[in-house]
């Protein structure tokens, strides 16, 4: 197949079937990994929809003080258990006269903070341990992997309950214990990536020119293993939110006067027969956020997967409509 270079440095294939289609201009770099992944991500309607929902809840959490119509901790026994649609209280009030909508808005701040903090801490710890284990190997790898096996053998839920019951249900303790029980999967993932990447030729070239071990790990290996780490970190946000909600539901998470979706669920179970909507609102918020995070994580995973073929949902939908209408 012959090529001709035009005056504007555009290369044209002269005998390409279907016409003369220009390729990349001479000297222009092809799109990078993240640029290509971003385009594939934006073509995924589920991932984009999940991102919109997630950004909406993040915005609500950041501007909770301005968005909430009332003080979430204000108690008024004159307006207890108001139904939804009451003037001044769109979602009604709870058994203490507190505005449910305001409590939902402020609960998003706690749940989002726990989810992203736990995901960030777990990824940092897991990436560090997995990188050292996979790069050096030998007895270092053996020691770290046996530590991972020990951590995985402990039931995380019961371990979290035990630690919070002994040291107190403080916010910082909950983030620490959830982080310490979530890093093992990241460590295994990063170790597996490093076992493959450390044998690459560019790593041997870096060693040959005298690059330090730490330089090779941070400048070359971690960057090439970043795609699966980002995907796993995204999915871990939803898992951390569910864990926080479960601990708060059991009374070992966020404590009054602070509020979270799990704590609201725990309090609402006493009034399920009187006002079941009090449990529906926080449960629906948890469901939407976790689904949105999972959709975003799946979209990022598909975007970074080079074997994933491009899908055209609209074309398939039109074909299905044409077939079913016959």
């Amino acid at each position: 197949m012959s090529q001709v270079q035009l005056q504007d440095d555009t290369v044209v294939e002269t005998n390409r079937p279907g016409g003369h289609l220009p390729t990349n201009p001479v000297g222009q770099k092809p799109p990078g990994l993240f640029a290509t992944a971003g385009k594939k991500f934006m073509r995924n309607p589920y991932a984009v929809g999940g991102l919109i929902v997630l950004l909406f809840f993040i915005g609500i959490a950041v501007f909770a003080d301005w968005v909430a119509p009332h003080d979430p901790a204000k108690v008024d026994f004159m307006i207890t258990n108001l139904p939804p649609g009451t003037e001044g209280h769109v979602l009604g009030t709870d058994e203490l006269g507190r505005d449910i909508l305001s409590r939902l808005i402020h609960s998003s701040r706690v749940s989002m903070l726990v989810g992203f903090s736990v995901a960030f801490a777990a990824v940092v710890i897991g990436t560090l341990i997995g990188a050292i284990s996979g790069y050096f190997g030998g007895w270092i790898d053996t020691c770290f992997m046996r530590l991972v096996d020990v951590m995985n053998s402990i039931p995380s839920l019961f371990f979290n309950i035990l630690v919070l019951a002994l040291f107190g249900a403080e916010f910082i303790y909950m983030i620490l214990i959830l982080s310490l029980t979530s890093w093992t999967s990241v460590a295994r993932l990063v170790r597996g990536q490093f076992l493959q990447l450390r044998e690459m030729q560019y790593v041997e070239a870096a060693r040959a020119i005298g690059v330090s071990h730490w330089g090779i790990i941070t400048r070359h290996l971690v960057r090439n293993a970043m795609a699966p780490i980002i995907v796993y970190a995204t999915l871990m946000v939803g898992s951390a939110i569910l864990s926080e909600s479960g601990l708060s539901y059991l009374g070992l998470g966020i404590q009054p006067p602070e509020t979270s979706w799990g704590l609201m669920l725990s309090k609402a179970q006493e009034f399920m027969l009187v006002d079941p909507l009090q449990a529906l609102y926080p449960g629906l918020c948890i469901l939407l956020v976790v689904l949105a995070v999972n959709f975003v994580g799946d979209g990022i995973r598909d975007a970074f997967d080079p074997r994933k073929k491009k899908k055209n949902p609209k074309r398939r939908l039109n074909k299905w409509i044409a077939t079913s209408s016959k």
Side-chain angles (χ1 to χ4, degrees):
M1 183 177 294
S2 61
Q3 295 181 343
V4 176
Q5 183 174 348
L6 303 181
Q7 293 182 355
D8 58 352
D9 291 335
T10 301
V11 177
V12 178
E13 298 173 358
T14 58
N15 57 346
R16 178 170 179 169
H20 305 281
L21 298 177
T23 60
N24 291 330
V26 175
Q28 180 179 349
K29 295 182 179 180
L33 175 63
F34 288 95
T36 305
K39 293 180 180 179
K40 293 177 64 176
F41 181 87
M42 296 305 296
R43 288 197 297 262
N44 190 334
Y46 302 103
V48 174
L51 180 61
I52 293 174
V53 173
L54 185 60
L55 291 177
F56 170 77
F57 278 97
I58 292 176
I60 290 294
V62 172
F63 300 102
D65 293 332
W66 294 274
V67 176
H70 301 280
D71 183 359
K74 183 180 180 180
V75 177
D76 190 350
F77 292 104
M78 301 299 295
I79 55 172
T80 58
N81 294 322
L82 291 180
T86 304
E87 183 179 358
H89 303 279
V90 178
L91 300 182
T93 58
D94 60 7
E95 73 279 3
L96 298 179
R98 297 171 296 189
D99 184 65
I100 294 180
L101 178 59
S102 300
R103 290 175 60 79
L104 282 174
I105 292 174
H106 280 268
S107 296
S108 64
R109 174 177 293 179
V110 174
S111 298
M112 292 293 156
L113 181 60
V114 170
F116 284 98
S117 299
V118 170
F120 177 78
V123 166
V124 171
I125 298 173
T127 301
L128 179 62
I129 293 179
I132 295 175
S133 177
Y135 179 77
F136 291 102
W139 65 270
I140 297 178
D141 182 27
T142 302
C143 293
F144 278 134
M145 288 302 102
R146 297 297 77 79
L147 175 62
V148 170
D149 293 338
V150 171
M151 294 296 297
N152 286 332
S153 65
I154 302 175
S156 58
L157 177 60
F158 295 103
F159 184 65
N160 295 341
I161 293 175
L162 176 63
V163 172
L164 293 177
L166 291 177
F167 295 96
E170 298 291 338
F171 182 72
I172 186 64
Y173 290 153
M174 183 172 59
I175 293 180
L176 289 176
I177 192 59
L178 289 178
S179 302
L180 291 176
T181 55
S182 303
W183 62 268
T184 54
S185 299
V186 183
R188 285 188 178 276
L189 174 67
V190 175
R191 173 183 176 270
Q193 293 289 321
F194 270 54
L195 288 176
Q196 298 177 1
L197 295 175
R198 70 178 184 179
E199 305 298 333
M200 295 296 179
Q201 294 182 353
Y202 63 85
V203 177
E204 297 180 0
R207 293 195 189 102
I209 63 176
V211 180
S212 63
H213 294 307
W214 182 251
I216 294 176
I217 291 174
T218 56
R219 297 178 187 175
H220 301 285
L221 298 183
V222 171
R223 291 184 179 181
N224 286 279
M226 189 60 65
I229 295 175
I230 293 175
V231 174
Y232 200 88
T234 307
L235 298 176
M236 191 177 293
V237 174
S239 177
I241 292 175
L242 286 177
S243 299
E244 181 274 328
S245 301
L247 292 173
S248 297
Y249 180 81
L250 296 175
L252 295 172
I254 303 301
Q255 300 297 317
E258 296 293 331
T259 181
S260 70
W261 290 331
L263 183 60
M264 292 183 66
L265 274 176
S266 178
K267 297 298 182 182
Q269 67 179 346
E270 303 175 5
F271 305 93
M272 285 295 296
L273 298 178
V274 179
D275 188 6
L277 293 179
Q278 290 191 24
L280 175 64
Y281 300 137
L284 185 61
C285 290
I286 296 173
L287 175 64
L288 289 176
V289 171
V290 173
L291 280 178
V293 170
N294 287 335
F295 281 143
V296 171
D298 291 340
I300 296 176
R301 180 193 59 198
D302 295 341
F304 280 107
D305 188 358
R307 297 168 297 180
K308 191 70 174 179
K309 295 182 179 179
K310 177 183 177 181
K311 296 182 179 180
N312 193 343
K314 185 178 180 180
R315 183 178 179 181
R316 295 202 309 268
L317 179 61
N318 293 335
K319 183 177 179 181
W320 177 83
I321 294 176
T323 303
S324 60
S325 60
K326 293 181 180 180

